[in-house]
Amino acid sequence: MQRDKDLIVGFDKSDDAGVYKMSGEIAVVSTLDFFPPIVDDPFLFGQIAAANALSDVYAMGGVPRFALNIVCFPKELGMEVLTEIIRGAVDRLDEAGAVLAGGHSIEDKEIKFGLSVTGVVHPEKVITNAGARPGDLLVLTKPIGTGIITSALKKGNIRPEDAQAAFTSMKTLSRAAAEAMVETGAKACTDITGYGLMGHALEMATASNVNLVIASKDIPFFPKALELVTSRGNRPRAIAENMEFMAPDIQFKHGMDAALQMAVFDPQTSGGLLISIPEGKYDMLSSNLTERRVRHYLIGSVVSAEEGWRIRVE
Ligand code: CO
Ligand code: CO
Ligand code: CO
């Protein structure tokens, strides 16, 4: 592959977005995400798709500026549905202070929608998943379980009113969380999406060459998620795939609750930020988050790299 010294974060880093330095002052953060509907309401789906796409810019410490939409759409569904999806996306872009600059649509059998988001960051203030250091604490900004809850909803195994907390979380921007993190001077972050809490934590551990110790009792889950995950029909397929792929690197305390062992692999849509923060800065981060009304959870800590495991869940 071609090399370019101005590509600060590229394909090889398994980070959230590409970062390209344009000048000594400005780097562009660029990302792309799209997926089939996970909720029935088209406006809400648009909101969630946009919050999810914007999240990768926030995770890098960037500020979103504009977006392009990616649309796959079956004509027979009617343009009103697509209009609602885009209206939902624009609603979230407005809140992010970013504009929709265009996009591309093709006809397809199934709806898919997402955005490519472009943001900016100072080239020396890029936050990556490689900045975690032993002694840091791990802070998560949203509960886990959106994959379990949306798949249970499709099967009719949860009432929509019981899924509200997950809906609200998925459409909530990580903007305030990112602002608090940047203000505190955090060096390491990723957002939790398709590989689940364990997958993205593992990417951070690997990129930073550290090990992580996570306290199971402190991991926040949406109401009903741990209950629902015990029946196979509610389990997104990615749980088993993620588990199998990561098994060699993850140790669970003997006798750990089986539901929890599955739920930590649940693929998230528009999940929270996982921030690694030096212990001495934790109080400042926590109060910066609280000031912006961002709920957050201290779930573990970073230790020196050790052979044979990367993450231990105690
Ligand atoms: Co991401
Ligand atoms: Co992404
Ligand atoms: Co990142």
Side-chain angles (χ1 to χ4, degrees), residues 205 209-213 301-311:
N209 192 29
V210 294
N211 284 20
L212 309 179
V213 179
S301 60
V302 180
V303 297
S304 301
E306 210 178 282
E307 297 275 305
W309 60 285
R310 272 289 185 197
I311 301 180

Side-chain angles (χ1 to χ4, degrees), residues 16-213:
D16 301 298
V19 183
Y20 192 92
K21 184 175 165 184
M22 306 299 281
S23 73
E25 296 291 306
I26 290 184
V28 166
V29 185
S30 183
T31 181
L32 161 63
D33 264 291
F34 73 119
F35 46 84
I38 53 165
V39 292
D40 287 336
D41 174 0
F43 184 79
L44 178 61
F45 173 51
Q47 286 182 308
I48 292 171
N52 180 74
L54 287 159
S55 169
D56 281 329
V57 174
Y58 290 129
M60 308 296 291
V63 177
R65 298 299 287 272
F66 66 90
L68 302 168
N69 58 28
I70 301 114
V71 181
C72 303
F73 199 76
K75 243 199 254 144
E76 58 277 13
L77 262 183
M79 276 304 136
E80 322 77 72
V81 176
L82 182 55
T83 306
E84 277 302 283
I85 294 173
I86 293 173
R87 230 169 47 79
V90 168
D91 168 74
R92 298 289 82 186
L93 289 170
D94 280 348
E95 185 161 317
V99 291
L100 187 63
H104 184 71
S105 60
I106 60 165
E107 217 195 314
D108 198 2
K109 284 201 282 291
E110 190 191 22
I111 304 179
K112 293 169 205 81
F113 179 79
L115 298 158
S116 169
V117 182
T118 301
V120 291
V121 64
H122 190 286
E124 272 137 45
K125 291 182 180 160
V126 180
I127 299 173
T128 72
N129 60 8
R133 295 292 172 263
D136 284 4
L137 299 178
L138 297 169
V139 177
L140 180 66
T141 64
K142 289 181 183 180
I144 300 294
T146 66
I148 298 161
I149 285 168
T150 53
S151 78
L153 200 62
K154 280 186 189 148
K155 298 268 165 66
N157 293 337
I158 180 173
R159 294 176 308 172
E161 52 271 39
D162 289 328
Q164 281 312 316
F167 291 164
T168 303
S169 175
M170 286 189 283
K171 70 179 185 185
T172 299
L173 298 185
S174 283
R175 177 181 180 162
E179 284 172 0
M181 154 176 98
V182 168
E183 189 179 309
T184 313
K187 294 281 189 288
C189 177
T190 186
D191 62 345
I192 307 301
T193 52
Y195 299 125
L197 174 61
M198 284 300 116
H200 295 280
L202 183 57
E203 282 182 344
M204 179 182 269
T206 307
S208 304
N209 192 29
V210 294
N211 284 20
L212 309 179
V213 179

Side-chain angles (χ1 to χ4, degrees), residues 226-301:
L226 287 177
E227 193 181 309
L228 289 165
V229 76
T230 56
S231 58
R232 185 192 291 268
N234 296 329
R235 252 177 257 154
R237 201 175 15 175
I239 289 188
E241 291 165 359
N242 287 343
M243 270 176 112
E244 192 186 323
F245 181 66
M246 296 166 213
D249 293 311
I250 301 189
Q251 283 180 358
F252 289 97
K253 190 181 73 181
H254 191 71
M256 173 83 54
D257 177 41
L260 189 138
Q261 286 197 41
M262 291 186 273
V264 291
F265 293 100
D266 183 43
Q268 303 301 284
T269 298
S270 191
L273 300 183
L274 178 67
I275 304 165
S276 184
I277 189 83
E279 195 175 359
K281 284 187 168 178
Y282 172 75
D283 287 342
M284 198 203 301
L285 175 65
S286 182
S287 71
N288 285 337
L289 288 166
T290 304
E291 217 169 80
R292 292 172 174 82
R293 292 197 214 100
V294 180
R295 285 244 199 103
H296 53 284
Y297 312 85
L298 176 57
I299 62 163
S301 60

